[in-house]
Amino acid sequence: TPSPTSTPDPSPTTTPNPTPSPTPQAWSPNNDITPRVWIDASDSSSYTRSGTLLTSVTDKAGTYTMGILGNPTTNSFTQNGLNVFDFDGSDSLKSTTFESFTSDGNHWAIGVFRWENVNSNKDSFWSYETNNSPKRDYAVSSGNNNNFWPGELDLDGLNSNRISSTIGNLEQWSLQNLSKNNWYIVACWFNKTGNQIGLRVDGKDAFNPVNDYDNTLQSNQELRLMRNRASQELDGKMGEFIDYPRMPGTSGTDMTYLEKAEGYLAHKWGLSGSLPPSHPYKNSPPTL
């Protein structure tokens, strides 16, 4: 009797592996919009040192050559495991030239700073001084001379009301103040397109934004870090500073780009806990 013919098993059904979703690319200061200035103490390739003495600092955006004034130090202190620059109140960073700043009045800047001693109400995290006339434009300053930081935005005191008739020489911070020896994300913007000037600390307004931007900032500026426009220097530390010659957002008074920079710095420097619950990057850093 012939053997029964066997029927082969059908080929097993295979399920194709799903195509993985691409991992979102992390937002960085130079891959979505182009910075004009980028000073980064956490990037060891952007500075040189002799022991702990800071000997040179490179602007990663390529705009400025930064001069070292006094004896700031590095590789001695960290924040969130990242290196910072340390200033003792008699040293600072200052650009060696005046460079193109803004062509249309739109500008914003942001940085990670802490103050450790204040002895002048004009002690400043950063300031810009122009070689045009009138000479001075703005500084982000302490507003107090006795180890207290209620804060003020200083405008052109040599020609009052030139930039804003509402602010005049200065706008005091009515909504925020900074405690000694704490890190903060500080941002300031001049939005000519949206007719607005404002300042934020950790994603929160330091004063109600002023909708009164009468005249543009000057077109050429010298950058000073931990130094005001009259050469008063600040005792404290700096992690990173970034500046953009554009609006802080996509249109009007939108803050899209500035919020991304806040989120980037907050998560990089371990400061996300300081952002308000409503901040779009409170829980995760921005992506492209």
Side-chain angles (χ1 to χ4, degrees):
T1 304
S3 300
T5 301
S6 60
T7 303
D9 292 335
S11 298
T13 302
T14 58
T15 302
N17 292 326
T19 302
S21 300
T23 301
Q25 183 180 351
W27 188 91
S28 169
N30 66 345
N31 64 6
D32 188 14
I33 51 179
T34 302
R36 195 185 71 94
V37 179
W38 188 4
I39 309 295
D40 184 3
S42 73
D43 183 353
S44 60
S45 69
S46 70
Y47 65 88
T48 60
R49 61 190 177 96
S50 176
T52 60
L53 187 67
L54 188 64
T55 54
S56 73
V57 174
T58 299
D59 172 10
K60 294 166 64 170
T63 298
Y64 285 118
T65 299
M66 299 304 297
I68 308 292
L69 302 176
N71 297 297
T73 58
T74 188
N75 288 66
S76 296
F77 299 95
T78 62
Q79 168 61 21
N80 199 36
L82 302 175
N83 181 62
V84 303
F85 296 152
D86 185 24
F87 303 83
D88 67 4
S90 60
D91 37 50
S92 57
L93 303 179
K94 186 177 79 166
S95 66
T96 59
T97 57
F98 293 83
E99 298 294 342
S100 178
F101 189 70
T102 176
S103 60
D104 56 10
N106 290 313
H107 157 80
W108 60 279
I110 187 169
V112 176
F113 298 93
R114 69 182 249 172
W115 69 271
E116 296 175 350
N117 185 60
V118 164
N119 58 13
S120 169
N121 64 347
K122 302 305 180 186
D123 278 344
S124 302
F125 288 136
W126 78 87
S127 65
Y128 280 104
E129 177 151 322
T130 178
N131 60 356
N132 301 125
S133 180
K135 189 175 182 182
R136 294 175 179 173
D137 265 5
Y138 88 93
V140 177
S141 307
S142 64
N144 185 270
N145 61 3
N146 189 25
N147 271 338
F148 185 52
W149 194 294
E152 65 186 35
L153 174 64
D154 292 318
L155 297 187
D156 184 5
L158 300 181
N159 192 355
S160 184
N161 301 337
R162 181 181 66 85
I163 296 174
S164 170
S165 56
T166 297
I167 293 177
N169 288 340
L170 63 89
E171 182 73 20
Q172 295 179 327
W173 302 6
S174 57
L175 304 176
Q176 301 288 334
N177 60 72
L178 309 188
S179 300
K180 184 176 182 177
N181 296 330
N182 288 326
W183 286 96
Y184 295 96
I185 301 168
V186 182
C188 182
W189 73 92
F190 293 81
N191 185 347
K192 189 65 176 176
T193 305
N195 190 36
Q196 190 175 80
I197 299 172
L199 195 144
R200 286 157 68 111
V201 175
D202 295 337
K204 302 177 285 289
D205 287 334
F207 55 81
N208 291 319
V210 174
N211 296 303
D212 178 20
Y213 186 6
D214 296 333
N215 206 338
T216 62
L217 297 169
Q218 299 284 4
S219 58
N220 291 302
Q221 300 280 358
E222 175 187 77
L223 170 62
R224 301 178 176 204
L225 294 170
M226 308 298 281
R227 184 183 185 91
N228 79 347
R229 299 165 299 177
S231 303
Q232 174 71 30
E233 293 170 316
L234 173 63
D235 182 356
K237 294 180 173 63
M238 187 195 93
E240 195 162 352
F241 176 79
I242 318 165
D243 151 333
Y244 294 90
R246 61 178 304 145
M247 293 189 299
T250 56
S251 62
T253 56
D254 178 72
M255 290 287 167
T256 298
Y257 299 130
L258 193 151
E259 288 174 336
K260 285 187 175 184
E262 288 172 335
Y264 159 81
L265 292 173
H267 289 275
K268 175 178 178 177
W269 293 94
L271 301 172
S272 59
S274 299
L275 296 178
S278 61
H279 197 280
Y281 305 108
K282 170 74 172 178
N283 299 316
S284 58
T287 59
L288 292 179

